[in-house]
């Protein structure tokens, strides 16, 4: 009976494990990094550079987006101011002095582009014309170049206080005259024309680069009549 007892035969099958190529395993992290970089690049392009096709107004607004103010014209001229100083005792004028000054002044004309919203643009697809309506020009405070001024003083005796008063009065007078001259219709017309030319140039080139070709840019200010076709 002992002969009938035989140890049970056990067959050991080798454990099968999936073998992955080493190159594929190492490539997975790099693939994730590349996908992340591509996603970041696409989001950045979408946020800062993307404009819908066929939207010249959006392209025009993008050209103005980073310009809050645009200086379009600068006028330099000379103003003449004259002041008189009288000093005396017991309301009797004993000393009289006079000073005339020729003072160079500079005034700048600027466009405020911060409020250039879509309502100020209009696109005519048939004529390929972009119409732009500009806000009124802003005129800077006159900048007096008092270091380059020419002065002419008259008087038997001009005290230090009298000289200071004459100079101060002439400066105030020169600033008022310069501000009035800056609003001269002829000078203002030159500044407005310079503004229109600057806006045409700043918009025509970006629109060409964006693929819209030779676009006509018509520019006018608030209150001006649109040009007739």
């Amino acid at each position: 009976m002992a002969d009938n007892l035989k140890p049970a035969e056990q067959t050991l099958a080798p454990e099968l494990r999936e073998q992955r190529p080493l190159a594929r395993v190492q490539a997975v992290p790099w693939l994730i990094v590349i996908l992340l970089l591509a996603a970041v690049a696409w989001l950045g392009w979408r946020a800062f550079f993307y404009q819908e096709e066929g939207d010249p107004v959006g392209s025009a607004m993008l050209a103005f987006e980073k310009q809050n103010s645009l200086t379009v014209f600068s006028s330099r001229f000379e103003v003449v101011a004259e002041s008189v100083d009288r000093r005396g005792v017991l309301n009797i004028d004993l000393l009289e002095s006079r000073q005339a000054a020729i003072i160079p002044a500079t005034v700048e004309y600027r466009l405020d582009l911060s409020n250039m919203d879509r309502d100020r643009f209009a696109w005519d697809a048939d004529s390929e014309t972009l119409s732009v309506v500009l806000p009124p020009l802003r005129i800077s405070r006159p900048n007096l170049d008092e270091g380059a001024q020419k002065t002419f003083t008259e008087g038997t005796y001009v005290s230090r206080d009298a000289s200071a008063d004459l100079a101060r009065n002439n400066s105030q007078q020169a600033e008022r005259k310069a501000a009035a001259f800056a609003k001269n219709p002829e000078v203002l017309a030159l500044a407005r024309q310079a503004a229109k030319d600057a806006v045409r140039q700043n918009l025509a080139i970006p629109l060409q680069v964006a693929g819209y070709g030779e676009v006509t840019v018509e520019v006018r200010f608030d209150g001006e009549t649109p040009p007739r076709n």
Side-chain angles (χ1 to χ4, degrees):
M1 184 169 181
D3 295 337
N4 293 331
L5 296 177
K6 295 183 179 179
E9 295 183 359
Q10 296 182 355
T11 303
L12 299 178
E15 182 178 358
L16 298 179
R17 295 183 180 180
E18 183 181 359
Q19 300 294 325
R20 296 183 180 180
L22 180 61
R24 182 183 301 177
V25 175
Q26 293 177 341
V28 171
W30 287 107
L31 181 60
I32 295 175
V33 171
I34 292 173
L35 291 176
L36 289 176
L37 290 176
V40 171
W42 183 84
L43 290 175
W45 171 80
R46 180 84 182 183
F48 298 103
F49 300 104
Y50 173 76
Q51 290 291 326
E52 293 184 4
E53 294 183 0
D55 185 16
V57 172
S59 299
M61 293 179 65
L62 183 64
F64 283 158
E65 190 175 36
K66 296 182 180 180
Q67 301 184 67
N68 290 329
S69 179
L70 179 64
T71 300
V72 295
F73 190 73
S74 178
S75 177
R76 183 176 175 85
F77 48 89
E78 292 181 336
V79 291
V80 179
E82 184 176 357
S83 300
V84 177
D85 183 83
R86 296 182 178 89
R87 296 175 185 269
V89 179
L90 298 178
N91 295 326
I92 300 175
D93 295 332
L94 300 177
L95 298 174
E96 179 179 298
S97 57
R98 183 186 307 270
Q99 185 182 86
I102 302 176
I103 307 176
T106 303
V107 176
E108 292 184 342
Y109 299 80
R110 302 188 182 98
L111 276 175
D112 181 12
L113 302 178
S114 61
N115 295 322
M116 291 291 292
D117 53 18
R118 184 171 286 269
D119 293 338
R120 290 187 172 273
F121 298 86
W123 171 248
D124 186 348
D126 294 334
S127 61
E128 295 186 341
T129 300
L130 178 68
S131 300
V132 184
V133 181
L134 300 177
L137 285 174
R138 290 188 174 183
I139 305 175
S140 69
R141 179 177 178 179
N143 182 18
L144 302 179
D145 187 2
E146 295 179 298
Q149 69 177 335
K150 300 176 182 178
T151 57
F152 307 89
T153 305
E154 295 179 355
T156 304
Y157 173 75
V158 182
S159 66
R160 180 180 298 177
D161 291 341
S163 179
D165 288 344
L166 289 170
R168 180 172 58 254
N169 291 336
N170 280 341
S171 295
Q172 295 173 353
Q173 187 181 148
E175 184 172 343
R176 291 194 299 269
K177 288 186 174 181
F181 181 82
K183 298 178 182 178
N184 182 289
E186 294 181 359
V187 179
L188 194 56
L190 292 175
R192 291 163 70 95
Q193 186 59 47
K196 293 178 181 179
D197 293 341
V199 170
R200 287 192 191 98
Q201 183 177 1
N202 284 357
L203 292 182
I205 295 177
L207 288 174
Q208 290 180 8
V209 174
Y212 296 105
E214 296 291 336
V215 174
T216 300
V217 180
E218 293 182 349
V219 185
R220 70 181 190 274
F221 281 90
D222 282 333
E224 290 185 341
T225 303
R228 295 180 179 178
N229 296 331

